[in-house]
Amino acid sequence: MSRVGVLALGPAGVGKTTFCNSIITHMQSIGRRAHLVNLDPAAEATEYEFTIDIRDLISLQDVMEEMDLGPNGALIYCFEFLLNNLDWLDEEIGDFNDEYLIFDCPGQIELYTHVPVLPTIVRHLQQQLNFNLCATYLLEAPFVIDRSKFFSGALSAMSAMILLELPHINILSKVDLIKNEVSRKELKKFLNPDPLLLNAADDKETNPKFARLNRAIAHLVDDFGMVQFLPLDCNKESDSVANILSYIDDVTQWSESQEPKEPKDEAEIDDDE
């Protein structure tokens, strides 16, 4: 039976850890189990303890102190060390066969845009550990509905989709922070965006010398036709988080991998009632 893993990706501060905790809370409420795997050597546990923690192998703080490196250089060192010690990850994951593993990843997107760290880990999880994986890519809703910033967010999401080559779900986090009624109506345009219309609407406010670049980016995003978003409001766990989990279940084929259950006989049904 293949395993299921969910990667929580996105820039720093978008709410990846909050999202991971919300998924686990919801799964527990419906009688399913999940475990949190921390792949950020600088992260501290919040609501739930990490079942598997990269800091048991190497921590960012130790590397910065011992190697006299800055945070970004130390992060690259940590992941190069992990790639040279993937047998540690294999041993840590070894006992978890039939449960969700949720991988909380660091926010430095250069780990999959400039250096092939996460793509290498993804291939290892798929080929060596038989994982069905799904990538969730989070962007902040207040950031994205600023049209001048939408395309940078869309390009970063596309970059992750192309480089990781995984089933991919884009998520707009922190929608609860958008209080203004006009902005909330505007948000709907970004859940299933038409990049060409968004670019046309933004032309009046953009420096004309960037117009051709913006149009080229809009056409690129439109040609791929894959940049859509699901809203995430962690204050409304029962609807938005449940909806996102249903998408994850679909793309990872979680239901198909479950063992069939014997139907209850009439006596058992009467007892349940």
Side-chain angles (χ1 to χ4, degrees):
M1 181 183 297
S2 63
R3 305 165 174 180
V4 171
V6 181
L7 301 177
L9 306 168
V14 297
K16 296 186 294 296
T17 299
T18 301
F19 167 65
C20 293
N21 289 335
S22 297
I23 287 285
I24 292 178
T25 297
H26 175 70
M27 291 182 71
Q28 289 181 349
S29 72
I30 59 176
R32 289 169 57 180
R33 298 187 64 185
H35 297 277
L36 190 55
V37 180
N38 176 40
L39 290 183
D40 186 348
E44 298 284 343
T46 55
E47 186 175 351
Y48 294 99
E49 292 295 324
F50 301 130
T51 302
I52 300 171
D53 189 353
I54 189 177
R55 295 176 304 160
D56 294 336
L57 176 70
I58 189 169
S59 76
L60 188 77
Q61 189 63 38
D62 290 344
V63 171
M64 291 175 62
E65 292 175 358
E66 295 179 17
M67 307 294 294
D68 195 25
L69 293 171
N72 288 336
L75 185 70
I76 297 297
Y77 182 94
C78 288
F79 274 92
E80 288 177 345
F81 189 82
L82 174 62
L83 293 182
N84 289 326
N85 294 274
L86 284 174
D87 56 333
W88 171 85
L89 187 61
D90 295 350
E91 292 176 5
E92 293 292 310
I93 293 177
D95 294 333
F96 301 99
N97 291 318
D98 302 327
E99 299 166 350
Y100 259 59
L101 293 186
I102 301 175
F103 296 82
D104 192 0
C105 301
Q108 285 75 6
I109 61 175
E110 58 265 27
L111 292 173
Y112 45 90
T113 58
H114 292 73
V115 289
V117 170
L118 282 179
T120 302
I121 293 173
V122 163
R123 287 194 296 272
H124 182 79
L125 291 171
Q126 289 177 314
Q127 297 171 7
Q128 303 300 321
L129 300 181
N130 196 30
F131 267 90
N132 276 348
L133 294 175
C134 169
T136 57
Y137 194 88
L138 280 71
L139 291 171
E140 291 183 68
F143 174 87
V144 168
I145 64 171
D146 181 340
R147 296 186 184 193
S148 63
K149 299 174 182 176
F150 165 77
F151 290 108
S152 66
L155 287 176
S156 69
M158 285 175 55
S159 175
M161 295 167 73
I162 294 168
L163 292 173
L164 293 178
E165 298 181 326
L166 288 176
H168 191 101
I169 297 172
N170 292 315
I171 296 170
L172 286 186
S173 64
K174 303 182 181 181
V175 297
D176 53 300
L177 297 183
I178 301 177
K179 307 294 186 182
N180 183 280
E181 188 63 29
V182 174
S183 297
R184 293 188 71 84
K185 290 182 179 179
E186 186 77 1
L187 175 65
K188 296 179 181 179
K189 299 178 182 178
F190 292 87
L191 298 178
N192 189 8
D194 185 329
L196 299 179
L197 289 179
L198 292 178
N199 178 62
D202 203 37
D203 277 346
K204 297 178 182 178
E205 304 173 6
T206 304
N207 190 317
K209 68 180 181 180
F210 297 125
R212 288 180 60 193
L213 174 61
N214 290 344
R215 281 197 297 272
I217 294 174
H219 279 286
L220 176 65
V221 175
D222 187 59
D223 287 344
F224 271 82
M226 297 186 294
V227 181
Q228 301 177 4
F229 295 92
L230 297 176
L232 171 64
D233 183 351
C234 290
N235 293 325
K236 297 180 180 179
E237 175 269 331
S238 61
D239 46 25
S240 69
V241 176
N243 184 48
I244 291 170
L245 181 60
S246 70
Y247 276 83
I248 294 172
D249 287 345
D250 285 344
V251 299
T252 57
Q253 299 179 330
W254 176 81
S255 298
E256 286 80 354
S257 67
Q258 298 307 294
E259 294 290 343
K261 296 181 180 179
E262 292 291 336
K264 294 182 179 181
D265 58 31
E266 292 184 5
E268 289 177 318
I269 295 174
D270 291 340
D271 290 342
D272 290 343
E273 294 177 349

